[in-house]
Amino acid sequence: MPNKTPAIYWIRQDLRINDNAALMAAAKGDRPVIPLYIREDDLAGALGGAQAWWLERSLARLGEAYDELGTGLVLKSGKPGTIIADLIEETGAETVYWNRRYTPDGMRTDKALKQKLRDDGIDAQSFAGRILHEPSKFETKSGGPYKVYTPFWKAFSADPRIADPQDAPDRLTAPDTKPQSERLEDWKLYSGKPDWAAGFDDIWTPGEAAANRQLDRFIDAIAEHYASSRDRPDIEATSMLSPHLALGEISPATIWHRVGRAKDLSSENRKKFLQELVWRDFCYHLLFHAPDLRTENWNSRFDGFAWQDNDEAFDAWTRGRTGYPIVDAGMRQLWQEGTMHNRVRMIVASFLIKDLMIDWRKGEAWFRDTLVDADPASNPANWQWVAGSGADASPFFRIFNPVLQGNKFDPQGDYVRRYVPELEDMPAKHIHAPFDAPRDVLDAAGVTLGKDYPKPLVDHKKARNRALAAFEKIKD
DNA sequence: AATATTTTAGT
DNA sequence: CTAAAATAT
């Protein structure tokens, strides 16, 4: 029997073997497969620093997985069109498959490439799997995209058929001659200084195996308290799956089904978590219908908002030196660990946007660069949500009070103490507002404001009134 | 996915 | 008088 021509499986943000439609289609009938990852020139800058750290490690794990499956992984740098055309020439491949992505740049690249390959007689196909349902699937009765989450969830739940995850292949057939691969070590994806990301290793293990272990851990020990504890940054109460999802180390369908069928999980906890998972789909739905979501206000009323340029304040925010402990703890967690608890993300975002009146785009860019789970849909959609310019947004006048939020969600101050060690000895009663603590309490804790820990950058009450006044000017 | 302030109810 | 509820932002 003559050897079949190989299929190229182009890997993007789907760094997994399991539940991978493009890979399975490529390998069908023992066809030889060339798993190809391209470091794309055109998308330079799209990858943040923290995610580059993750990608470097995840690609190493993926390379091992493909070695075990028998094909290895081919790494190339450049334009996808050129790389793939060269590879077709070199290997005689007649098939190129990939899993879809939904960023405007990515979709443009993929659409043009698919057309060109098909014109050349190549079987080029794309597959679903990054999100639960295609972003174009849902529309309101009046024919447009959903603008509010609850109706989106209802439409989503009305037809909850999500295909069961496909198992990983046991083995793959390698092409007769393996194409040359660049060396991952030579890419030096993570170029941060030695001090940054040192703490990432303490809490993160990139790769598909770790993603699945984390899902097990969530289902076994965390999910049963999800609804009541998910807002508590001082407790291990969230799934921590977002960076794995961001690079596709686990599919949302896998999470959907494993949580959906988990034993001994109350319907409240199950539903609450699955709703959060579907928020991710909602963000992709929004991005699909508003491709400029990252740069333009979803609600154009905000185009006239009087954002303040204040580099000094922005710098203090990024470094966790605002003088508001819950804000500073969050920003320092972000820097040290490449993540931040969801509740605290809302608090720090509210502080930047409303207390400092700095444009949400600056915050979005900072998160994109420092979060290991930075996602092209969720990140801008949620920043706009906090700003009030986004879909189903928090009204602008919903201004978080960082002291009340701290007292409510970090009642013992443990979260603050973990990331703001200079407040280690502050009692819970005063840890979220050291600027209001009696002198003797500060002395006993060894804290001199303005020396050991910053004085507040702004007075929250005044800042709140200033933001409300600015909002009045763009109202109607 | 909020908070500050005012109003009303409860003792 | 305090606490809960309603209301404005």
Side-chain angles (χ1 to χ4, degrees), chain A residues 305 343 346-347 349-357 385-388 394-405 458-472:
Chain A
F305 192 80
R343 165 62 46 178
M346 293 192 265
I347 300 170
S350 177
F351 190 82
L352 184 77
I353 293 166
K354 297 170 187 187
D355 287 63
L356 302 180
M357 273 178 49
W385 183 88
V386 177
S394 174
F396 189 85
F397 51 74
R398 234 179 235 179
I399 298 173
F400 285 67
N401 179 323
V403 177
L404 296 181
Q405 288 282 315
V458 290
D459 177 283
H460 174 69
K461 191 173 178 176
K462 284 184 194 156
R464 177 177 188 274
N465 289 332
R466 181 179 73 147
L468 289 171
F471 179 62
E472 280 299 311

Side-chain angles (χ1 to χ4, degrees), chain A residues 137-454:
Chain A
K137 172 177 168 150
F138 298 104
E139 58 176 41
T140 61
K141 284 198 179 111
S142 51
Y146 281 94
K147 297 177 155 110
V148 181
Y149 180 69
T150 304
F152 180 83
W153 165 256
K154 282 190 179 141
F156 189 99
S157 317
D159 179 18
R161 283 170 301 178
I162 293 165
D164 276 312
Q166 304 184 65
D167 287 337
D170 296 328
R171 53 173 290 283
L172 295 171
T173 304
D176 290 340
T177 51
K178 188 191 178 235
Q180 277 288 312
S181 174
E182 295 171 23
R183 286 157 47 95
L184 181 59
E185 307 85 81
D186 294 338
W187 281 5
K188 303 202 185 319
L189 285 170
Y190 169 68
S191 58
K193 299 280 175 257
D195 59 326
W196 186 48
F200 288 21
D201 271 316
D202 296 342
I203 56 159
W204 295 119
T205 308
E208 182 170 12
N212 282 280
R213 283 198 302 273
Q214 182 59 31
L215 177 56
D216 285 340
R217 175 169 176 73
F218 177 68
I219 290 170
D220 289 347
I222 303 171
E224 59 190 332
H225 307 293
Y226 185 74
S228 60
S229 300
R230 56 183 286 271
D231 273 323
R232 289 283 298 271
D234 55 334
I235 292 174
E236 184 185 357
T238 57
S239 75
M240 301 287 268
L241 287 167
S242 54
H244 299 293
L245 268 173
L247 287 178
E249 296 171 352
I250 191 165
S251 74
T254 299
I255 298 174
W256 174 269
H257 285 300
R258 272 165 65 187
V259 173
R261 292 163 187 169
K263 298 262 188 296
D264 305 322
L265 193 56
S266 74
S267 60
E268 191 198 7
N269 285 311
R270 198 190 311 272
K271 185 179 170 191
K272 199 87 195 159
F273 179 77
L274 293 179
Q275 280 183 330
E276 295 302 319
L277 187 64
V278 171
W279 260 101
R280 181 172 170 276
D281 266 49
F282 183 53
C283 293
Y284 274 94
H285 178 74
L286 294 170
L287 178 64
F288 181 79
H289 290 285
D292 55 4
L293 191 67
R294 199 189 83 200
T295 51
E296 298 300 317
N297 289 308
W298 186 82
N299 178 347
S300 59
R301 172 194 292 177
F302 276 76
D303 290 355
F305 192 80
W307 301 111
Q308 303 289 297
D309 278 323
N310 188 339
D311 290 347
E312 210 175 314
F314 181 73
D315 195 55
W317 178 80
T318 60
R319 290 162 186 270
R321 297 192 61 78
T322 67
Y324 285 89
I326 192 77
V327 174
D328 293 341
M331 297 308 293
R332 295 186 201 184
Q333 180 186 21
L334 174 60
W335 186 253
Q336 286 165 33
E337 300 178 350
T339 188
M340 193 192 308
H341 186 276
N342 175 256
R343 165 62 46 178
V344 188
R345 292 188 198 199
M346 293 192 265
I347 300 170
V348 304
S350 177
F351 190 82
L352 184 77
I353 293 166
K354 297 170 187 187
D355 287 63
L356 302 180
M357 273 178 49
I358 290 174
D359 196 324
W360 61 264
R361 295 167 190 84
K362 287 202 76 172
E364 191 278 334
W366 182 258
F367 269 32
R368 182 152 33 87
D369 196 28
T370 54
L371 278 170
V372 289
D373 64 18
D375 180 282
S378 301
N379 198 43
N382 285 312
W383 270 94
Q384 295 223 45
W385 183 88
V386 177
S389 64
D392 203 5
S394 174
F396 189 85
F397 51 74
R398 234 179 235 179
I399 298 173
F400 285 67
N401 179 323
V403 177
L404 296 181
Q405 288 282 315
N407 288 337
K408 188 169 175 188
F409 297 109
D410 180 29
Q412 274 81 53
D414 294 339
Y415 177 78
V416 164
R417 284 187 204 94
R418 195 179 315 147
Y419 299 103
V420 187
E422 59 266 43
L423 300 178
E424 206 161 35
D425 295 325
M426 284 288 287
K429 193 179 169 195
H430 296 289
I431 194 166
H432 293 294
F435 40 84
D436 285 335
R439 183 66 184 274
D440 60 319
V441 171
L442 287 169
D443 286 348
V447 174
T448 305
L449 289 182
K451 190 163 151 267
D452 308 301
Y453 182 72

Side-chain angles (χ1 to χ4, degrees), chain A residues 43-112:
Chain A
L43 300 177
L47 187 69
Q51 215 157 43
W53 176 92
W54 191 289
L55 177 65
E56 187 167 62
R57 283 149 188 81
S58 192
L59 279 175
R61 299 289 84 75
L62 193 70
E64 292 164 5
Y66 279 111
D67 285 345
E68 279 173 28
L69 286 169
T71 60
L73 174 62
V74 175
L75 304 176
K76 298 275 186 187
S77 304
K79 287 191 195 305
T82 313
I83 302 277
I84 289 172
D86 288 352
L87 211 51
I88 287 170
E89 174 84 27
E90 182 186 338
T91 65
E94 293 174 324
T95 306
V96 182
Y97 290 165
W98 60 78
N99 291 309
R100 268 170 231 135
R101 55 185 168 185
Y102 301 93
T103 55
D105 287 357
M107 287 200 303
R108 202 176 305 120
T109 301
D110 297 352
K111 192 180 173 196

